[in-house]
Amino acid sequence: MAGIHITDIEAAINYWRDKAPSPDGVTLSAEIRALAEVYALMVFYHEDEADEASFPARALAAWRTWYDTTPDTPCIAICSTSQGDAVCKGCGRTFGEVQHWTDMSPAEKRHTWRRITQENTAWRFNRYAERAAEGWVRPATPAPAAAPA
């Protein structure tokens, strides 16, 4: 099983702080409390990742709600693995990651996202950053113009 990185837990806590703000500046939502408990233990034990399999159910549910708001795939529709590259120039995933993406767990996907973001070499981070920022989807092919009457 993959681990859930502490930065993803921080992002999930911040998501819930925006979604369910404290009514009095002290009280936390159940989701934040669940995530904060995991976060505190990770800090105490100097851990960067929490094992997905042993994540408390309430914290995992809160994390998954945040995860569902993130882009599913780093793909920008420029896949060089289809041309034989071991690592895609477009998104930065390995051939195996591209092939097994739909079978990967959310934590495994986030692990891949973290790696390609830290490497910062894929075209999604430079040459084609606008596609990544727009959540690029292949545009429909325009219909041919009608002949003038």
Tab-separated table of all heavy atoms in Angstrom, residues 9-72:
chain	number	residue	atom	x	y	z
A	9	ILE	N	-2.085	15.701	3.539
A	9	ILE	CA	-2.932	15.835	4.726
A	9	ILE	C	-3.117	17.314	5.056
A	9	ILE	O	-4.227	17.749	5.369
A	9	ILE	CB	-2.344	15.047	5.916
A	9	ILE	CG1	-2.337	13.555	5.565
A	9	ILE	CG2	-3.135	15.303	7.190
A	9	ILE	CD1	-1.588	12.686	6.540
A	10	GLU	N	-2.051	18.099	4.934
A	10	GLU	CA	-2.168	19.544	5.130
A	10	GLU	C	-3.153	20.153	4.138
A	10	GLU	O	-3.992	20.986	4.511
A	10	GLU	CB	-0.805	20.219	4.959
A	10	GLU	CG	0.173	19.928	6.048
A	10	GLU	CD	1.562	20.457	5.738
A	10	GLU	OE1	1.833	20.863	4.577
A	10	GLU	OE2	2.392	20.461	6.656
A	11	ALA	N	-3.047	19.747	2.879
A	11	ALA	CA	-3.968	20.271	1.860
A	11	ALA	C	-5.410	19.897	2.184
A	11	ALA	O	-6.333	20.707	2.012
A	11	ALA	CB	-3.576	19.756	0.478
A	12	ALA	N	-5.612	18.670	2.660
A	12	ALA	CA	-6.962	18.235	3.023
A	12	ALA	C	-7.490	19.029	4.220
A	12	ALA	O	-8.666	19.423	4.251
A	12	ALA	CB	-6.978	16.739	3.320
A	13	ILE	N	-6.640	19.284	5.196
A	13	ILE	CA	-7.053	20.095	6.352
A	13	ILE	C	-7.453	21.493	5.891
A	13	ILE	O	-8.498	22.023	6.295
A	13	ILE	CB	-5.925	20.158	7.408
A	13	ILE	CG1	-5.784	18.797	8.101
A	13	ILE	CG2	-6.197	21.268	8.435
A	13	ILE	CD1	-4.551	18.672	8.992
A	14	ASN	N	-6.646	22.097	5.025
A	14	ASN	CA	-6.969	23.432	4.519
A	14	ASN	C	-8.254	23.426	3.696
A	14	ASN	O	-9.036	24.381	3.746
A	14	ASN	CB	-5.809	24.009	3.723
A	14	ASN	CG	-4.654	24.379	4.620
A	14	ASN	OD1	-4.846	24.735	5.782
A	14	ASN	ND2	-3.445	24.296	4.099
A	15	TYR	N	-8.482	22.367	2.927
A	15	TYR	CA	-9.731	22.227	2.172
A	15	TYR	C	-10.912	22.256	3.144
A	15	TYR	O	-11.884	22.985	2.934
A	15	TYR	CB	-9.716	20.912	1.381
A	15	TYR	CG	-11.060	20.504	0.845
A	15	TYR	CD1	-11.548	21.046	-0.337
A	15	TYR	CD2	-11.857	19.582	1.525
A	15	TYR	CE1	-12.793	20.681	-0.830
A	15	TYR	CE2	-13.095	19.209	1.043
A	15	TYR	CZ	-13.565	19.759	-0.131
A	15	TYR	OH	-14.801	19.390	-0.605
A	16	TRP	N	-10.828	21.465	4.206
A	16	TRP	CA	-11.927	21.400	5.176
A	16	TRP	C	-12.049	22.698	5.970
A	16	TRP	O	-13.160	23.064	6.376
A	16	TRP	CB	-11.767	20.185	6.092
A	16	TRP	CG	-12.191	18.943	5.391
A	16	TRP	CD1	-11.394	17.959	4.869
A	16	TRP	CD2	-13.528	18.562	5.077
A	16	TRP	NE1	-12.151	17.001	4.260
A	16	TRP	CE2	-13.477	17.344	4.378
A	16	TRP	CE3	-14.777	19.139	5.321
A	16	TRP	CZ2	-14.609	16.690	3.926
A	16	TRP	CZ3	-15.912	18.485	4.876
A	16	TRP	CH2	-15.821	17.277	4.176
A	17	ARG	N	-10.941	23.405	6.200
A	17	ARG	CA	-11.033	24.706	6.893
A	17	ARG	C	-11.849	25.688	6.061
A	17	ARG	O	-12.598	26.500	6.614
A	17	ARG	CB	-9.643	25.256	7.154
A	17	ARG	CG	-8.923	24.503	8.265
A	17	ARG	CD	-7.534	25.021	8.487
A	17	ARG	NE	-7.602	26.389	8.987
A	17	ARG	CZ	-6.591	27.234	8.925
A	17	ARG	NH1	-5.447	26.871	8.377
A	17	ARG	NH2	-6.722	28.449	9.394
A	18	ASP	N	-11.713	25.624	4.736
A	18	ASP	CA	-12.516	26.489	3.860
A	18	ASP	C	-13.951	25.992	3.759
A	18	ASP	O	-14.883	26.786	3.729
A	18	ASP	CB	-11.902	26.545	2.458
A	18	ASP	CG	-10.629	27.355	2.401
A	18	ASP	OD1	-10.387	28.171	3.321
A	18	ASP	OD2	-9.860	27.177	1.437
A	19	LYS	N	-14.123	24.681	3.692
A	19	LYS	CA	-15.448	24.094	3.488
A	19	LYS	C	-16.305	24.143	4.754
A	19	LYS	O	-17.507	24.354	4.687
A	19	LYS	CB	-15.297	22.649	3.010
A	19	LYS	CG	-16.590	21.984	2.621
A	19	LYS	CD	-16.325	20.620	2.019
A	19	LYS	CE	-17.582	19.860	1.801
A	19	LYS	NZ	-18.108	19.966	0.476
A	20	ALA	N	-15.681	23.907	5.908
A	20	ALA	CA	-16.411	23.873	7.178
A	20	ALA	C	-15.644	24.695	8.214
A	20	ALA	O	-15.025	24.142	9.124
A	20	ALA	CB	-16.579	22.430	7.649
A	21	PRO	N	-15.680	26.034	8.068
A	21	PRO	CA	-14.910	26.868	8.993
A	21	PRO	C	-15.439	26.767	10.420
A	21	PRO	O	-16.612	26.466	10.639
A	21	PRO	CB	-15.081	28.282	8.431
A	21	PRO	CG	-16.265	28.228	7.547
A	21	PRO	CD	-16.421	26.820	7.082
A	22	SER	N	-14.553	27.036	11.342
A	22	SER	CA	-14.918	27.006	12.756
A	22	SER	C	-15.918	28.119	13.046
A	22	SER	O	-15.698	29.268	12.679
A	22	SER	CB	-13.672	27.198	13.616
A	22	SER	OG	-14.022	27.352	14.963
A	23	PRO	N	-17.025	27.801	13.739
A	23	PRO	CA	-18.015	28.842	14.034
A	23	PRO	C	-17.530	29.826	15.089
A	23	PRO	O	-17.983	30.965	15.132
A	23	PRO	CB	-19.223	28.046	14.533
A	23	PRO	CG	-18.664	26.760	15.041
A	23	PRO	CD	-17.441	26.488	14.199
A	24	ASP	N	-16.587	29.385	15.944
A	24	ASP	CA	-16.147	30.249	17.042
A	24	ASP	C	-14.634	30.476	17.079
A	24	ASP	O	-14.117	31.074	18.005
A	24	ASP	CB	-16.614	29.674	18.378
A	24	ASP	CG	-16.110	28.256	18.614
A	24	ASP	OD1	-15.258	27.786	17.838
A	24	ASP	OD2	-16.582	27.619	19.578
A	25	GLY	N	-13.917	29.978	16.070
A	25	GLY	CA	-12.473	30.138	16.031
A	25	GLY	C	-11.721	29.107	16.854
A	25	GLY	O	-10.503	29.100	16.871
A	26	VAL	N	-12.445	28.216	17.522
A	26	VAL	CA	-11.818	27.202	18.358
A	26	VAL	C	-12.285	25.800	17.966
A	26	VAL	O	-11.481	24.887	17.825
A	26	VAL	CB	-12.129	27.451	19.866
A	26	VAL	CG1	-11.539	26.352	20.736
A	26	VAL	CG2	-11.627	28.813	20.293
A	27	THR	N	-13.569	25.639	17.777
A	27	THR	CA	-14.160	24.344	17.476
A	27	THR	C	-13.785	23.909	16.063
A	27	THR	O	-13.861	24.697	15.121
A	27	THR	CB	-15.693	24.418	17.587
A	27	THR	OG1	-16.030	24.983	18.846
A	27	THR	CG2	-16.333	23.057	17.446
A	28	LEU	N	-13.395	22.647	15.923
A	28	LEU	CA	-13.042	22.103	14.623
A	28	LEU	C	-14.120	21.140	14.147
A	28	LEU	O	-14.757	20.459	14.946
A	28	LEU	CB	-11.710	21.346	14.700
A	28	LEU	CG	-10.485	22.147	15.127
A	28	LEU	CD1	-9.284	21.230	15.263
A	28	LEU	CD2	-10.202	23.257	14.135
A	29	SER	N	-14.267	21.058	12.837
A	29	SER	CA	-15.199	20.076	12.274
A	29	SER	C	-14.659	18.677	12.527
A	29	SER	O	-13.465	18.482	12.778
A	29	SER	CB	-15.371	20.310	10.768
A	29	SER	OG	-14.183	19.968	10.082
A	30	ALA	N	-15.523	17.687	12.433
A	30	ALA	CA	-15.123	16.288	12.651
A	30	ALA	C	-14.045	15.874	11.660
A	30	ALA	O	-13.118	15.136	12.012
A	30	ALA	CB	-16.345	15.378	12.537
A	31	GLU	N	-14.140	16.359	10.423
A	31	GLU	CA	-13.161	16.006	9.395
A	31	GLU	C	-11.775	16.555	9.751
A	31	GLU	O	-10.769	15.858	9.634
A	31	GLU	CB	-13.602	16.527	8.028
A	31	GLU	CG	-14.869	15.896	7.515
A	31	GLU	CD	-16.145	16.558	8.028
A	31	GLU	OE1	-16.059	17.562	8.770
A	31	GLU	OE2	-17.233	16.058	7.701
A	32	ILE	N	-11.742	17.803	10.188
A	32	ILE	CA	-10.456	18.407	10.544
A	32	ILE	C	-9.871	17.716	11.765
A	32	ILE	O	-8.664	17.437	11.814
A	32	ILE	CB	-10.592	19.928	10.779
A	32	ILE	CG1	-10.992	20.628	9.476
A	32	ILE	CG2	-9.290	20.507	11.323
A	32	ILE	CD1	-11.288	22.105	9.629
A	33	ARG	N	-10.701	17.405	12.746
A	33	ARG	CA	-10.202	16.703	13.941
A	33	ARG	C	-9.582	15.364	13.562
A	33	ARG	O	-8.518	14.995	14.061
A	33	ARG	CB	-11.323	16.507	14.959
A	33	ARG	CG	-11.627	17.743	15.771
A	33	ARG	CD	-12.478	17.462	17.007
A	33	ARG	NE	-13.612	16.598	16.781
A	33	ARG	CZ	-14.825	17.001	16.391
A	33	ARG	NH1	-15.045	18.280	16.173
A	33	ARG	NH2	-15.804	16.139	16.223
A	34	ALA	N	-10.251	14.628	12.684
A	34	ALA	CA	-9.745	13.317	12.271
A	34	ALA	C	-8.409	13.455	11.539
A	34	ALA	O	-7.460	12.705	11.802
A	34	ALA	CB	-10.768	12.606	11.384
A	35	LEU	N	-8.319	14.410	10.618
A	35	LEU	CA	-7.079	14.626	9.881
A	35	LEU	C	-5.979	15.185	10.786
A	35	LEU	O	-4.820	14.801	10.674
A	35	LEU	CB	-7.322	15.571	8.705
A	35	LEU	CG	-8.150	15.003	7.559
A	35	LEU	CD1	-8.647	16.121	6.658
A	35	LEU	CD2	-7.340	13.981	6.778
A	36	ALA	N	-6.346	16.076	11.703
A	36	ALA	CA	-5.368	16.690	12.601
A	36	ALA	C	-4.739	15.656	13.530
A	36	ALA	O	-3.554	15.762	13.878
A	36	ALA	CB	-6.015	17.808	13.402
A	37	GLU	N	-5.502	14.650	13.923
A	37	GLU	CA	-4.952	13.607	14.780
A	37	GLU	C	-3.838	12.847	14.046
A	37	GLU	O	-2.764	12.612	14.597
A	37	GLU	CB	-6.055	12.639	15.205
A	37	GLU	CG	-5.574	11.554	16.135
A	37	GLU	CD	-6.688	10.627	16.584
A	37	GLU	OE1	-7.865	11.030	16.559
A	37	GLU	OE2	-6.366	9.485	16.951
A	38	VAL	N	-4.102	12.496	12.797
A	38	VAL	CA	-3.089	11.809	11.993
A	38	VAL	C	-1.885	12.725	11.792
A	38	VAL	O	-0.733	12.308	11.952
A	38	VAL	CB	-3.670	11.365	10.633
A	38	VAL	CG1	-2.586	10.815	9.726
A	38	VAL	CG2	-4.789	10.355	10.830
A	39	TYR	N	-2.152	13.972	11.454
A	39	TYR	CA	-1.089	14.948	11.220
A	39	TYR	C	-0.210	15.104	12.459
A	39	TYR	O	1.029	15.091	12.368
A	39	TYR	CB	-1.715	16.290	10.825
A	39	TYR	CG	-0.726	17.350	10.443
A	39	TYR	CD1	-0.224	17.423	9.156
A	39	TYR	CD2	-0.290	18.286	11.378
A	39	TYR	CE1	0.684	18.408	8.794
A	39	TYR	CE2	0.622	19.267	11.034
A	39	TYR	CZ	1.106	19.323	9.742
A	39	TYR	OH	2.011	20.288	9.388
A	40	ALA	N	-0.830	15.239	13.624
A	40	ALA	CA	-0.080	15.419	14.871
A	40	ALA	C	0.810	14.214	15.159
A	40	ALA	O	1.967	14.372	15.570
A	40	ALA	CB	-1.041	15.661	16.031
A	41	LEU	N	0.296	13.013	14.949
A	41	LEU	CA	1.101	11.808	15.174
A	41	LEU	C	2.281	11.741	14.201
A	41	LEU	O	3.384	11.331	14.579
A	41	LEU	CB	0.235	10.555	15.058
A	41	LEU	CG	-0.735	10.334	16.216
A	41	LEU	CD1	-1.722	9.215	15.876
A	41	LEU	CD2	0.019	10.036	17.509
A	42	MET	N	2.044	12.159	12.967
A	42	MET	CA	3.132	12.165	11.992
A	42	MET	C	4.227	13.144	12.405
A	42	MET	O	5.416	12.831	12.309
A	42	MET	CB	2.593	12.508	10.606
A	42	MET	CG	1.713	11.418	10.026
A	42	MET	SD	0.969	11.896	8.465
A	42	MET	CE	2.398	11.860	7.395
A	43	VAL	N	3.834	14.313	12.864
A	43	VAL	CA	4.816	15.297	13.316
A	43	VAL	C	5.558	14.763	14.530
A	43	VAL	O	6.793	14.829	14.603
A	43	VAL	CB	4.124	16.650	13.622
A	43	VAL	CG1	5.083	17.603	14.324
A	43	VAL	CG2	3.590	17.281	12.346
A	44	PHE	N	4.830	14.202	15.484
A	44	PHE	CA	5.443	13.682	16.705
A	44	PHE	C	6.476	12.596	16.403
A	44	PHE	O	7.559	12.574	16.974
A	44	PHE	CB	4.360	13.133	17.642
A	44	PHE	CG	4.909	12.619	18.945
A	44	PHE	CD1	5.246	13.498	19.963
A	44	PHE	CD2	5.107	11.263	19.141
A	44	PHE	CE1	5.765	13.032	21.168
A	44	PHE	CE2	5.621	10.790	20.336
A	44	PHE	CZ	5.958	11.674	21.353
A	45	TYR	N	6.135	11.705	15.479
A	45	TYR	CA	7.038	10.605	15.146
A	45	TYR	C	7.976	10.919	13.970
A	45	TYR	O	8.686	10.033	13.495
A	45	TYR	CB	6.235	9.328	14.853
A	45	TYR	CG	5.611	8.748	16.099
A	45	TYR	CD1	4.248	8.794	16.299
A	45	TYR	CD2	6.410	8.162	17.081
A	45	TYR	CE1	3.674	8.264	17.451
A	45	TYR	CE2	5.846	7.628	18.226
A	45	TYR	CZ	4.483	7.695	18.413
A	45	TYR	OH	3.930	7.178	19.546
A	46	HIS	N	7.967	12.160	13.506
A	46	HIS	CA	8.840	12.603	12.412
A	46	HIS	C	8.640	11.749	11.147
A	46	HIS	O	9.601	11.342	10.506
A	46	HIS	CB	10.315	12.582	12.831
A	46	HIS	CG	10.590	13.395	14.050
A	46	HIS	ND1	10.690	14.765	14.013
A	46	HIS	CD2	10.765	13.041	15.347
A	46	HIS	CE1	10.921	15.217	15.224
A	46	HIS	NE2	10.964	14.192	16.063
A	47	GLU	N	7.400	11.510	10.808
A	47	GLU	CA	7.049	10.716	9.625
A	47	GLU	C	6.599	11.635	8.499
A	47	GLU	O	5.903	12.624	8.735
A	47	GLU	CB	5.926	9.725	9.947
A	47	GLU	CG	6.275	8.705	11.008
A	47	GLU	CD	7.278	7.680	10.536
A	47	GLU	OE1	7.384	7.461	9.310
A	47	GLU	OE2	7.962	7.104	11.392
A	48	ASP	N	6.975	11.299	7.263
A	48	ASP	CA	6.530	12.057	6.095
A	48	ASP	C	5.262	11.471	5.483
A	48	ASP	O	4.525	12.179	4.803
A	48	ASP	CB	7.605	12.071	5.002
A	48	ASP	CG	8.809	12.910	5.390
A	48	ASP	OD1	8.686	13.755	6.289
A	48	ASP	OD2	9.871	12.700	4.778
A	49	GLU	N	5.044	10.174	5.683
A	49	GLU	CA	3.893	9.502	5.091
A	49	GLU	C	3.186	8.649	6.130
A	49	GLU	O	3.821	8.093	7.024
A	49	GLU	CB	4.330	8.596	3.933
A	49	GLU	CG	4.809	9.336	2.720
A	49	GLU	CD	5.105	8.427	1.549
A	49	GLU	OE1	5.261	7.206	1.749
A	49	GLU	OE2	5.196	8.938	0.430
A	50	ALA	N	1.867	8.553	5.966
A	50	ALA	CA	1.049	7.658	6.785
A	50	ALA	C	0.561	6.546	5.867
A	50	ALA	O	0.129	6.801	4.740
A	50	ALA	CB	-0.134	8.414	7.379
A	51	ASP	N	0.630	5.334	6.350
A	51	ASP	CA	0.219	4.178	5.560
A	51	ASP	C	-1.283	4.244	5.263
A	51	ASP	O	-2.094	4.375	6.177
A	51	ASP	CB	0.556	2.895	6.319
A	51	ASP	CG	0.216	1.656	5.530
A	51	ASP	OD1	0.335	1.689	4.292
A	51	ASP	OD2	-0.152	0.656	6.160
A	52	GLU	N	-1.619	4.157	4.005
A	52	GLU	CA	-3.019	4.235	3.584
A	52	GLU	C	-3.853	3.134	4.236
A	52	GLU	O	-4.997	3.359	4.632
A	52	GLU	CB	-3.100	4.127	2.059
A	52	GLU	CG	-4.487	4.209	1.496
A	52	GLU	CD	-4.520	4.043	-0.016
A	52	GLU	OE1	-3.536	3.551	-0.600
A	52	GLU	OE2	-5.546	4.411	-0.599
A	53	ALA	N	-3.294	1.948	4.395
A	53	ALA	CA	-4.041	0.810	4.940
A	53	ALA	C	-4.383	1.001	6.408
A	53	ALA	O	-5.398	0.485	6.875
A	53	ALA	CB	-3.248	-0.476	4.748
A	54	SER	N	-3.559	1.730	7.150
A	54	SER	CA	-3.819	1.905	8.576
A	54	SER	C	-4.396	3.276	8.905
A	54	SER	O	-4.535	3.624	10.070
A	54	SER	CB	-2.528	1.679	9.371
A	54	SER	OG	-1.561	2.643	9.013
A	55	PHE	N	-4.764	4.026	7.903
A	55	PHE	CA	-5.360	5.348	8.105
A	55	PHE	C	-6.705	5.177	8.804
A	55	PHE	O	-7.518	4.342	8.386
A	55	PHE	CB	-5.580	5.998	6.729
A	55	PHE	CG	-5.196	7.439	6.646
A	55	PHE	CD1	-3.869	7.840	6.727
A	55	PHE	CD2	-6.160	8.406	6.452
A	55	PHE	CE1	-3.519	9.167	6.613
A	55	PHE	CE2	-5.820	9.738	6.343
A	55	PHE	CZ	-4.497	10.123	6.426
A	56	PRO	N	-7.008	5.954	9.846
A	56	PRO	CA	-8.324	5.859	10.483
A	56	PRO	C	-9.440	6.156	9.481
A	56	PRO	O	-9.288	7.021	8.615
A	56	PRO	CB	-8.271	6.923	11.577
A	56	PRO	CG	-6.810	7.144	11.822
A	56	PRO	CD	-6.127	6.899	10.509
A	57	ALA	N	-10.540	5.444	9.596
A	57	ALA	CA	-11.627	5.531	8.606
A	57	ALA	C	-12.144	6.956	8.427
A	57	ALA	O	-12.352	7.408	7.292
A	57	ALA	CB	-12.764	4.591	8.992
A	58	ARG	N	-12.365	7.685	9.507
A	58	ARG	CA	-12.898	9.055	9.397
A	58	ARG	C	-11.901	9.986	8.720
A	58	ARG	O	-12.274	10.834	7.914
A	58	ARG	CB	-13.289	9.594	10.759
A	58	ARG	CG	-14.530	8.885	11.319
A	58	ARG	CD	-14.886	9.375	12.681
A	58	ARG	NE	-15.409	10.738	12.587
A	58	ARG	CZ	-15.910	11.398	13.604
A	58	ARG	NH1	-15.949	10.844	14.789
A	58	ARG	NH2	-16.357	12.625	13.439
A	59	ALA	N	-10.620	9.812	9.054
A	59	ALA	CA	-9.585	10.642	8.428
A	59	ALA	C	-9.443	10.288	6.950
A	59	ALA	O	-9.298	11.177	6.101
A	59	ALA	CB	-8.254	10.469	9.155
A	60	LEU	N	-9.526	9.009	6.638
A	60	LEU	CA	-9.429	8.592	5.237
A	60	LEU	C	-10.603	9.127	4.431
A	60	LEU	O	-10.433	9.604	3.309
A	60	LEU	CB	-9.350	7.068	5.125
A	60	LEU	CG	-9.120	6.515	3.720
A	60	LEU	CD1	-7.817	7.055	3.120
A	60	LEU	CD2	-9.107	4.996	3.737
A	61	ALA	N	-11.800	9.098	5.006
A	61	ALA	CA	-12.982	9.637	4.310
A	61	ALA	C	-12.820	11.137	4.064
A	61	ALA	O	-13.144	11.637	2.975
A	61	ALA	CB	-14.247	9.355	5.112
A	62	ALA	N	-12.313	11.863	5.054
A	62	ALA	CA	-12.088	13.304	4.886
A	62	ALA	C	-11.017	13.565	3.839
A	62	ALA	O	-11.144	14.475	3.015
A	62	ALA	CB	-11.696	13.930	6.223
A	63	TRP	N	-9.946	12.757	3.872
A	63	TRP	CA	-8.882	12.904	2.877
A	63	TRP	C	-9.402	12.602	1.485
A	63	TRP	O	-9.103	13.311	0.531
A	63	TRP	CB	-7.702	11.983	3.228
A	63	TRP	CG	-6.556	12.138	2.282
A	63	TRP	CD1	-5.590	13.095	2.315
A	63	TRP	CD2	-6.276	11.324	1.144
A	63	TRP	NE1	-4.716	12.920	1.258
A	63	TRP	CE2	-5.119	11.835	0.530
A	63	TRP	CE3	-6.889	10.206	0.579
A	63	TRP	CZ2	-4.562	11.273	-0.612
A	63	TRP	CZ3	-6.331	9.642	-0.560
A	63	TRP	CH2	-5.181	10.174	-1.135
A	64	ARG	N	-10.211	11.540	1.341
A	64	ARG	CA	-10.764	11.164	0.030
A	64	ARG	C	-11.679	12.249	-0.521
A	64	ARG	O	-11.721	12.479	-1.733
A	64	ARG	CB	-11.537	9.842	0.123
A	64	ARG	CG	-10.682	8.599	0.240
A	64	ARG	CD	-9.851	8.317	-1.007
A	64	ARG	NE	-10.607	8.203	-2.214
A	64	ARG	CZ	-11.048	7.075	-2.743
A	64	ARG	NH1	-10.792	5.939	-2.165
A	64	ARG	NH2	-11.728	7.087	-3.868
A	65	THR	N	-12.426	12.930	0.340
A	65	THR	CA	-13.274	14.032	-0.127
A	65	THR	C	-12.416	15.125	-0.733
A	65	THR	O	-12.727	15.666	-1.790
A	65	THR	CB	-14.131	14.580	1.022
A	65	THR	OG1	-14.957	13.521	1.518
A	65	THR	CG2	-15.014	15.730	0.565
A	66	TRP	N	-11.292	15.456	-0.061
A	66	TRP	CA	-10.370	16.434	-0.638
A	66	TRP	C	-9.777	15.896	-1.935
A	66	TRP	O	-9.731	16.599	-2.948
A	66	TRP	CB	-9.240	16.761	0.351
A	66	TRP	CG	-8.093	17.431	-0.335
A	66	TRP	CD1	-8.014	18.746	-0.697
A	66	TRP	CD2	-6.890	16.812	-0.807
A	66	TRP	NE1	-6.821	18.983	-1.349
A	66	TRP	CE2	-6.113	17.801	-1.433
A	66	TRP	CE3	-6.381	15.516	-0.750
A	66	TRP	CZ2	-4.867	17.547	-1.991
A	66	TRP	CZ3	-5.144	15.256	-1.313
A	66	TRP	CH2	-4.396	16.269	-1.921
A	67	TYR	N	-9.323	14.654	-1.900
A	67	TYR	CA	-8.695	14.036	-3.074
A	67	TYR	C	-9.613	14.119	-4.295
A	67	TYR	O	-9.151	14.380	-5.406
A	67	TYR	CB	-8.342	12.573	-2.767
A	67	TYR	CG	-7.940	11.794	-3.993
A	67	TYR	CD1	-6.658	11.884	-4.501
A	67	TYR	CD2	-8.862	10.985	-4.655
A	67	TYR	CE1	-6.289	11.186	-5.635
A	67	TYR	CE2	-8.509	10.284	-5.787
A	67	TYR	CZ	-7.219	10.395	-6.278
A	67	TYR	OH	-6.875	9.713	-7.404
A	68	ASP	N	-10.889	13.921	-4.096
A	68	ASP	CA	-11.844	13.955	-5.208
A	68	ASP	C	-11.947	15.324	-5.862
A	68	ASP	O	-12.510	15.448	-6.950
A	68	ASP	CB	-13.223	13.480	-4.749
A	68	ASP	CG	-13.252	11.985	-4.450
A	68	ASP	OD1	-12.347	11.253	-4.919
A	68	ASP	OD2	-14.186	11.551	-3.737
A	69	THR	N	-11.404	16.368	-5.223
A	69	THR	CA	-11.412	17.708	-5.824
A	69	THR	C	-10.146	17.976	-6.634
A	69	THR	O	-10.047	19.008	-7.284
A	69	THR	CB	-11.537	18.808	-4.749
A	69	THR	OG1	-10.337	18.836	-3.954
A	69	THR	CG2	-12.756	18.605	-3.871
A	70	THR	N	-9.184	17.048	-6.608
A	70	THR	CA	-7.928	17.240	-7.325
A	70	THR	C	-8.027	16.625	-8.725
A	70	THR	O	-8.840	15.738	-8.942
A	70	THR	CB	-6.743	16.600	-6.555
A	70	THR	OG1	-6.933	15.193	-6.497
A	70	THR	CG2	-6.613	17.180	-5.163
A	71	PRO	N	-7.196	17.090	-9.667
A	71	PRO	CA	-7.223	16.486	-11.001
A	71	PRO	C	-6.864	15.001	-10.914
A	71	PRO	O	-5.970	14.630	-10.159
A	71	PRO	CB	-6.148	17.245	-11.778
A	71	PRO	CG	-5.850	18.455	-10.983
A	71	PRO	CD	-6.215	18.156	-9.563
A	72	ASP	N	-7.575	14.182	-11.677
A	72	ASP	CA	-7.320	12.741	-11.597
A	72	ASP	C	-5.998	12.360	-12.231
A	72	ASP	O	-5.297	11.513	-11.724
A	72	ASP	CB	-8.451	11.943	-12.261
A	72	ASP	CG	-8.154	10.455	-12.226
A	72	ASP	OD1	-7.929	9.922	-11.119
A	72	ASP	OD2	-8.093	9.823	-13.294
